[in-house]
Amino acid sequence: MRKYFFIILLLNLFHFSEACTTAVISGRCTTDGRPIMWKLRDADELENCMKFFNDGKYTYIGLINSKDIKGENVWGGSNSQGFSIMNNASYNVNLEDEIELKDQEGRFMKLALQKCATLDDFEKLLETYPKPRGLAANFGVIDGQGGAAYYEVNNYTYTKYDANDINIAPNGYLVRTNFSFSGKKDMGYGFIRYQTAEEIFAKAYNDHDLNYQTVIQGFARCFYHPVLNVDYREKYQNVSYGKNFVTSDDLITRQGSASSIVVHGVKKGEITDLTTIWILVGFPETCVAVPVWIRGGENLPWVLSYNSDIKNSPLNKAALNWKAKCYPIGRSDGYHYLNISELFNKEGMGFIQKIEPFEKVIFTDTENKLTEWRKITPAKQKIENFYKQIDDKIIGFYSIK
């Protein structure tokens, strides 16, 4: 008991860097019948980029830390077979283990993208992977056959939660934060974020509004606090610009949020490498969502790719510049305090108020392209041309030099 108390104490003392909010959504409850995978990533490494890989059985695109130029760890992505994976750390498993091997999630997800085409493949990988695994995570997975599930994984075992099983996910979606249902009860982290996610998902489900656009604009940019019963967005968009600070620690997106990835999958029988990866490569409240596809090949949008001059991706840098204005208190515990007026205000000049109309243009353009591409499979060059159009728009929007 004393050991568990010490672990709980540590969880409360540290500003969590790996405290993600994630979801897997079956196609049976989305507006277009395609599955969705979502990760809101919190991390120490706030500088992220996207990378195309051709180092496995399947080609894939992954979210990586900009300092990890080789891409030895992948923190979410999708491969040519439509297999997609992400994770969030679980803090209520492996509690009694004294195993030194740990924090292998990024390497493991890279391996899964290299080797797996289906949920069955992933389960075989889990079963054959050397133990102890060095893993303590909830892995969310969708595939090109309509599969959608969570795997709560520890050093020796795993438990599957299938979003297509009506007994496990009656509404067709599953949410996870930083605890496992198969782990030690009432331990872990992110219970308030979990409550928030459950409430906003239930509303979207009841409104028949579960789609990638809702996830990007409604969920990754949610400012509802269920304990205080206040929606800061609703409140402060009617307040004039000024020094209007709120504590953001228990919001879905907070100071340590590095990026968000939303994978919009395919229906069974559709071209799997047209799975759409929507990436907010920087702080989600100040970053525009950009689509990428495996079929487009190695030349990803310039704004998402590693740039050796800045040692980062240009869009991430631009989003971080805007983010700095949202968290202007740099000393000590300043990271707790978000000046919400920078995001929305009565004058309509907040960053989110600028981003979302601009983003909707990208959504529309992308939907038009996908309607065309699902009928006639596009050549790689057509996708690269579309990337160039998006690059030009985003460079102008942020005034990137």
Side-chain angles (χ1 to χ4, degrees), residues 59-119:
T59 55
Y60 58 101
I61 294 173
L63 172 66
I64 66 170
N65 296 330
S66 295
K67 290 182 180 178
D68 180 17
I69 301 174
K70 294 181 180 179
E72 294 180 350
N73 292 272
V74 171
W75 300 106
S78 183
N79 71 19
S80 58
Q81 302 303 299
F83 176 88
S84 308
I85 187 169
M86 47 77 178
N87 79 304
N88 50 356
S90 176
Y91 294 101
N92 66 335
V93 299
N94 296 339
L95 294 179
E96 296 183 345
D97 285 0
E98 296 181 356
I99 306 299
E100 291 186 5
L101 183 67
K102 60 182 180 179
D103 299 330
Q104 297 298 300
E105 288 80 11
R107 293 178 182 273
F108 181 73
M109 287 190 286
K110 178 182 177 72
L111 180 64
L113 289 166
Q114 289 173 323
K115 299 181 63 172
C116 299
T118 64
L119 267 62

Side-chain angles (χ1 to χ4, degrees), residues 194-363:
Y194 180 82
Q195 182 181 349
T196 302
E198 281 288 346
E199 289 189 28
I200 61 178
F201 265 83
K203 184 179 186 308
Y205 174 80
N206 290 331
D207 291 344
H208 305 288
D209 196 31
L210 271 176
N211 54 63
Y212 73 89
Q213 296 185 30
T214 298
V215 175
I216 291 169
Q217 295 196 339
F219 296 175
R221 301 190 186 117
C222 173
F223 291 87
Y224 176 63
H225 194 303
V227 176
L228 302 178
N229 192 28
V230 58
D231 187 329
Y232 292 123
R233 179 173 186 157
E234 186 177 284
K235 179 179 180 179
Y236 285 98
Q237 67 185 2
N238 297 312
V239 175
S240 294
Y241 177 84
K243 293 183 178 179
N244 295 306
F245 285 92
V246 301
T247 55
S248 61
D249 291 7
D250 288 319
L251 300 180
I252 285 180
T253 300
R254 51 270 183 81
Q255 194 274 346
S257 297
S259 55
S260 183
I261 183 170
V262 178
V263 178
H264 185 205
V266 296
K267 295 179 181 178
K268 190 172 183 178
E270 289 184 331
I271 302 167
T272 56
D273 61 4
L274 277 182
T275 293
T276 307
I277 306 169
W278 286 96
I279 181 65
L280 292 80
V281 76
F283 183 59
E285 318 298 39
T286 59
C287 188
V288 169
V290 181
V292 293
W293 299 271
I294 305 296
R295 177 163 283 273
E298 65 278 6
N299 294 321
L300 298 178
W302 178 82
V303 294
L304 302 178
S305 303
Y306 181 80
N307 184 301
S308 59
D309 292 334
I310 61 173
K311 295 181 171 54
N312 193 8
S313 60
L315 180 52
N316 179 276
K317 182 181 178 182
L320 284 175
N321 288 340
W322 282 12
K323 177 190 175 184
K325 297 179 180 179
C326 301
Y327 288 92
I329 306 173
R331 60 186 180 277
S332 187
D333 291 332
Y335 67 84
H336 295 291
Y337 302 102
L338 164 68
N339 185 3
I340 205 157
S341 279
E342 296 289 355
L343 298 177
F344 26 75
N345 50 62
K346 187 177 181 179
E347 293 78 10
M349 296 303 292
F351 293 139
I352 287 178
Q353 291 168 310
K354 295 177 183 178
I355 285 173
E356 290 188 344
F358 174 76
E359 208 168 46
K360 285 178 180 178
V361 174
I362 296 178
F363 292 159

Side-chain angles (χ1 to χ4, degrees), residues 126-138:
L126 281 169
E127 290 161 4
T128 58
Y129 196 74
K131 301 177 183 64
R133 300 185 180 104
L135 302 175
N138 306 315

